[in-house]
């Protein structure tokens, strides 16, 4: 198991089905031209599928020709030609931002000041969640700007329930906290949530009660089962639907700007939209079990969120799920309201036993 490793476009990861290349769209948004180019690249150089991740990134798997792919992604403006800047641009934004609002303003400034950040561990990232109500509370991030209970913006370190009020200078504060994290040994610990050093700020403000966003002003949400979309289908959708851009959310949905009403891309109401499942075996060499076929069969029988993970790393979902199955030496561990790899309620189940347990056999 490789912990702390996070592939980027410049550091693709070797997986069982070829290289995995991760794209981080700026502000989580791609224009029609970028979407079309990305689809062409996934078809020409990958396995023709595009995956949306829980960090609102897009991944191309099965890549056999990385150099022409990276060139194309740079030309499209989806990857920074500077690998250091690309690695530092781990910025998750609340997807319903509007031009000029606090989320857009802060994320844009942070992107312009990436050179001021220290080198951070690969999984460490920022969440700019400055709308009226936090929506990214369950999405993975280490340093968060969000709305405090009294309506002011706060800076909150992951793992702490309260943050510090900031009035202007949000990016200065983020950069300062990132330097403090490194200076106090956080890089050795790996993630902010595990770093228990005393914060360099007075953090007493609770964030506003979060919501899970269900309606968007920016466009129409299209759910992607397992976060996967066929690149040819997405390209055809962009040609025919009138869509002008898409935004990627950390919830494996795409928000389509400007598309004709009623023209759907994914299956918004499918039970599988409530499911997180990584690619599992055989695509991932760390998986000892196949995941997605089991997840499809199980989904209609599970109440709440289902997470099927090929191993304890839990790539598909970092937050707890109502039901979690974790591959372990060719069998499944079963847990409830838990993360992949947490202490299970039942262990050593094969797939038929799992199905039988939920009445899905
Ligand atoms: S969680 Fe899934 S995709 Fe991630 S390393 Fe484990 S088996 Fe592979």
């Amino acid at each position: 198991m490789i912990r702390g490793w996070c592939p980027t476009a410049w550091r693709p990861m070797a997986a069982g089905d070829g290289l995995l290349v991760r794209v981080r769209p700026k502000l989580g948004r791609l224009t029609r031209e970028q979407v079309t180019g990305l689809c062409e690249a996934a078809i020409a150089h990958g396995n023709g599928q595009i995956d949306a991740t829980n960090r609102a990134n897009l991944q191309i798997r099965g890549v056999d020709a990385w150099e022409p792919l990276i060139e194309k992604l740079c030309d499209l403006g989806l990857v920074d030609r500077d690998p250091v800047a690309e690695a530092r641009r781990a910025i998750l934004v609340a997807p319903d931002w509007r031009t000029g609002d606090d989320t857009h303003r802060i994320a844009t400034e942070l992107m312009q000041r990436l050179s001021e950040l220290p080198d951070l561990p690969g999984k460490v990232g920022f969440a700019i969640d400055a709308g009226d109500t936090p929506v990214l509370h369950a999405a993975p991030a280490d340093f968060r700007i969000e709305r405090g209970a009294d309506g002011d913006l706060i800076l909150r370190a992951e793992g702490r329930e309260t943050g510090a009020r900031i009035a202007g200078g949000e990016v200065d504060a983020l950069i300062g906290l990132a330097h403090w994290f490194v200076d106090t040994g956080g890089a050795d610990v790996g993630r902010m949530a595990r770093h228990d050093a005393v914060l360099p700020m007075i953090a007493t403000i609770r964030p506003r009660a979060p919501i899970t966003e269900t309606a968007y002003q920016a466009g129409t949400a299209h759910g992607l089962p397992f976060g996967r979309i066929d690149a040819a289908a997405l390209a055809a959708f962009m040609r025919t639907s009138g869509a002008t851009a898409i935004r990627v959310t950390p919830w494996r949905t795409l928000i389509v700007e400007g598309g004709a009403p009623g023209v759907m891309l994914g299956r918004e109401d499918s039970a599988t939209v409530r499911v997180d499942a990584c690619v599992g075996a055989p695509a991932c060499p760390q998986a000892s079990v196949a995941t997605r076929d089991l997840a499809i069969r199980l989904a209609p029988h599970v109440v709440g969120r289902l997470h099927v993970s090929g191993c304890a790393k839990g790539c598909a979902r970092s937050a707890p799920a109502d039901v979690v199955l974790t591959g372990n030496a060719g069998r499944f561990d079963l847990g409830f309201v838990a993360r992949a790899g947490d202490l299970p309620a039942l262990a050593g189940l094969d797939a038929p036993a799992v199905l039988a347990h939920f009445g899905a056999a």
Side-chain angles (χ1 to χ4, degrees), residues 5-93:
W5 164 260
C6 223
T8 68
W10 287 104
R11 293 179 70 206
M13 186 167 77
D17 54 353
L19 293 176
L20 184 161
V21 173
R22 181 169 291 169
V23 175
R24 293 171 165 163
K26 291 169 184 162
L27 297 167
R29 183 177 186 270
L30 300 90
T31 63
R32 176 164 42 198
E33 291 69 30
Q34 288 175 318
V35 178
T36 304
L38 182 75
C39 292
E40 290 168 357
I43 294 166
H45 307 299
N47 65 4
Q49 305 288 314
I50 297 172
D51 292 310
T53 78
N54 62 355
R55 291 173 178 250
N57 295 155
L58 294 171
Q59 290 182 166
I60 301 175
R61 300 189 70 99
V63 173
D64 55 7
W66 173 76
E67 287 184 12
L69 174 62
I70 193 86
E71 191 58 34
K72 170 99 177 171
L73 296 174
C74 287
D75 286 348
L76 288 167
L78 289 171
V79 171
D80 201 304
R81 288 199 179 274
D82 175 2
V84 174
E86 178 68 23
R88 290 179 177 176
R89 196 164 45 74
I91 306 170
L92 187 55
V93 296

Side-chain angles (χ1 to χ4, degrees), residues 61 278-280 284-287 309-316:
R61 300 189 70 99
C278 70
V279 289
C284 177
Q286 297 185 60
S309 184
C311 78
K313 195 172 175 192
C315 295

Side-chain angles (χ1 to χ4, degrees), residues 206-237:
R206 287 188 176 275
R208 275 191 175 162
I211 58 163
T212 300
E213 207 149 315
T214 53
Y216 301 95
Q217 295 184 13
T220 309
H222 297 243
L224 306 180
F226 304 134
R228 173 161 284 197
I229 182 77
D230 181 77
L234 178 56
F237 174 83

